[in-house]
Amino acid sequence: WNCNAFLDSCVLRDIDNKVSSGGAMLVQQASALLTNCLLSHCGAVAGGAVCATEFSSCSMHYCTISQTFAYVKGGGVAALDGSSLTLTDCAISDIAGSSLYVEQSQAFIRR
């Protein structure tokens, strides 16, 4: 894998991932930077909007996450399996389940 993804001013919505993690985005053995993005009406097994897993790094700046859910863990965003998740100036609302789920990983929340 070892890829980088950069998303700026994107709208990711109406995605229902019933078989895997990361409704709008799965970051697996990679890094991702999302800036000024809207993630809405998304769902997944873990991390309804975004899931960072398998030693990944995901940074989200000025993003809005709303109306997301998870079938198992982390209705909003999730960091699993040694990953790192950073949220700066993000708005998270109307989540079914926990807004943030961290398991054997680290999360940094600013403002």
Side-chain angles (χ1 to χ4, degrees):
W1 299 84
N2 296 321
C3 299
N4 297 313
F6 303 97
L7 285 79
D8 185 30
S9 302
C10 294
V11 176
L12 303 168
R13 61 176 292 138
D14 299 322
I15 303 165
D16 189 356
N17 183 352
K18 292 181 172 86
V19 297
S20 186
S21 300
M25 176 176 256
L26 171 63
V27 184
Q28 184 174 2
Q29 296 180 358
S31 65
L33 171 62
L34 288 80
T35 307
N36 297 314
C37 293
L38 169 64
L39 298 95
S40 178
H41 298 90
C42 298
V45 174
V50 174
C51 183
T53 186
E54 295 185 26
F55 306 102
S56 296
S57 173
C58 181
S59 295
M60 301 174 69
H61 306 283
Y62 310 105
C63 293
T64 300
I65 300 165
S66 68
Q67 297 179 338
T68 63
F69 65 93
Y71 293 101
V72 181
K73 313 174 193 180
V77 293
L80 309 172
D81 306 321
S83 295
S84 175
L85 179 65
T86 302
L87 287 90
T88 306
D89 292 317
C90 292
I92 301 176
S93 64
D94 199 15
I95 306 299
S98 61
S99 297
L100 174 65
Y101 182 86
V102 180
E103 182 178 282
Q104 298 176 355
S105 298
Q106 55 187 353
F108 304 95
I109 313 299
R110 297 184 182 106
R111 293 183 287 270

